[in-house]
Amino acid sequence: MKVVVKISDMKRISAKCQRDGKTIGFVPTMGYLHDGHVSLIRAARRDTDVVVVSIFVNPAQFGPKEDLVKYPRDIKKDRKICEKEKVDFLFAPRVKEMYPDGYASFVDVPGRLSDTLCGRSRPGHFKGVATVLVKLFNIASPTISYFGEKDAQQCVIVKKLVEDLNINTAIKVMPIVREKDGLAMSSRNVYLSKEERPEALAISRSLAQARYMIKKGEKAGGKIKKIIKNILSRSKKIKVDYIEIVDGRSLKSISNVKSNTIIMVAAFIGKLRLIDNLWIKKP
Ligand code: AMP
């Protein structure tokens, strides 16, 4: 595996892969890799000739009061994981390389897709995400880019972005990888204290209950939301940010579960904000 830190080097490598007729599978991450990231890397390894993983904690997607400085990092361990997964290139640029002095251009997908749900609690977040992704797509020239269903809103936005701007990459969305007890894996889970960790389970438990209700034929969004709310309200440490049932393309709220529906939950445990969802392709 080669570690690449310069944009010019990464561009040269991806151009050569393209010239050689090789497909590039790209997994953009912020590092502190876990099995959720690994599932994307394995999909890329399976589907494409050359696997590129990026690790970049993107300042543009953090709000001024968010955890940019504190965000967990362990590049040595990440490197080992990537080597084990037979990644070909690990692209890990410095902030100044991606955003040099005088940097000025941003990409935005304004309106509902970026402003609702997580965008409401994190203004500007998706503008930062869209910007860094367009930059990374231009640098890595991926044939297929891999994203996790865990960040469902990000998936919807990136699909729209690629479609609107005619970016030459396919987008593949992979299922949420969970801990044995159901908690959706996230780099930020390390912030959970011993006392908070079991309480956090209420989130995945509430979605599992929603899944069960839907399996039994329940379609009414109001009833499903109520059950989720009830389960979450039993935990004293959880403060709900939102519980929403939305269309999986427009992110518009819907009142009945249908095909391509996302049931989305965001909740605070202490200062930590956790997200999880249930993406129903067909009820
Ligand atoms: P991050 O490093 O948190 O920016 O995530 C990088 C990519 O990994 C994103 O596409 C995430 O959606 C995906 N990802 C994060 N957590 C999980 C998970 N538990 N299961 C599957 N994919 C995930």
Side-chain angles (χ1 to χ4, degrees):
M1 185 182 77
K2 191 166 186 302
V3 179
V4 183
V5 295
K6 288 266 173 258
I7 293 172
S8 54
D9 289 342
M10 193 63 239
K11 284 186 88 158
R12 209 171 304 123
I13 289 162
S14 46
K16 176 156 186 347
C17 290
Q18 283 184 317
R19 270 200 312 278
D20 294 346
K22 294 198 167 128
T23 53
I24 301 173
F26 177 49
V27 182
T29 81
M30 296 208 298
Y32 211 72
L33 303 179
H34 51 66
D35 284 353
H37 299 113
V38 169
S39 74
L40 309 186
I41 296 172
R42 288 189 180 164
R45 187 69 285 166
R46 213 165 42 233
D47 298 344
T48 57
D49 300 323
V50 176
V51 176
V52 179
V53 171
S54 68
I55 293 183
F56 182 62
V57 182
N58 173 34
Q61 70 188 68
F62 286 76
K65 291 193 183 128
E66 291 183 356
D67 57 343
L68 172 64
V69 178
K70 239 181 68 192
Y71 194 84
R73 291 161 168 93
D74 190 343
I75 189 72
K76 265 196 194 151
K77 186 166 162 238
D78 289 349
R79 204 174 155 154
K80 275 198 190 131
I81 293 173
C82 288
E83 268 164 2
K84 185 164 167 270
E85 296 302 325
K86 302 197 165 41
V87 169
D88 297 292
F89 298 99
L90 174 58
F91 179 54
R94 289 188 175 276
V95 172
K96 273 274 182 307
E97 178 76 2
M98 290 293 272
Y99 301 111
D101 291 341
Y103 185 88
S105 306
F106 286 86
V107 182
D108 202 2
V109 185
R112 177 190 307 282
L113 294 193
S114 297
D115 297 344
T116 54
L117 306 159
C118 289
R120 190 175 303 151
S121 314
R122 307 184 68 188
H125 169 68
F126 288 112
K127 186 174 169 185
V129 170
T131 301
V132 82
L133 287 177
V134 169
K135 284 172 71 69
L136 290 168
F137 290 151
N138 283 333
I139 294 163
S141 306
T143 319
I144 311 178
S145 305
Y146 295 82
F147 291 87
E149 225 168 67
K150 159 88 186 346
D151 298 275
Q153 189 168 8
Q154 173 172 283
C155 292
V156 174
I157 290 172
V158 74
K159 280 184 186 165
K160 180 77 177 141
L161 183 70
V162 162
E163 186 186 317
D164 285 353
L165 298 182
N166 313 101
I167 296 172
N168 257 337
T169 184
I171 300 296
K172 217 164 172 178
V173 175
M174 306 303 293
I176 300 177
V177 176
R178 297 178 178 282
E179 302 287 354
K180 275 201 188 86
D181 58 10
L183 183 70
M185 286 191 180
S186 162
S187 306
R188 286 190 170 100
N189 287 350
V190 290
Y191 297 146
L192 288 167
S193 70
K194 244 198 207 147
E195 296 74 38
E196 289 166 341
R197 176 66 180 71
E199 303 264 337
L201 282 183
I203 300 171
S204 52
R205 213 182 310 123
S206 72
L207 288 167
Q209 184 61 30
R211 182 197 292 279
Y212 177 76
M213 289 170 76
I214 293 161
K215 215 170 164 187
K216 291 272 170 202
E218 186 59 70
K219 290 216 163 56
K223 279 192 192 163
I224 296 166
K225 273 199 213 173
K226 202 169 158 193
I227 292 287
I228 294 174
K229 200 173 161 196
N230 277 344
I231 294 174
L232 295 179
S233 68
R234 276 182 231 147
S235 161
K236 283 198 189 82
K237 291 199 193 302
I238 289 188
K239 195 174 144 267
V240 172
D241 182 14
Y242 64 75
I243 302 166
E244 292 291 343
I245 303 187
V246 300
D247 174 80
R249 201 175 145 83
S250 67
L251 296 184
K252 276 188 188 153
S253 280
I254 51 177
S255 42
N256 284 306
V257 173
K258 55 178 180 67
S259 27
N260 198 14
T261 293
I262 323 175
I263 303 181
M264 300 174 73
V265 174
F268 289 95
I269 299 196
K271 277 190 185 157
L272 177 63
R273 189 169 164 283
L274 292 175
I275 56 169
D276 200 347
N277 68 77
L278 173 62
W279 202 323
I280 297 147
K281 309 288 157 37
K282 275 200 184 105

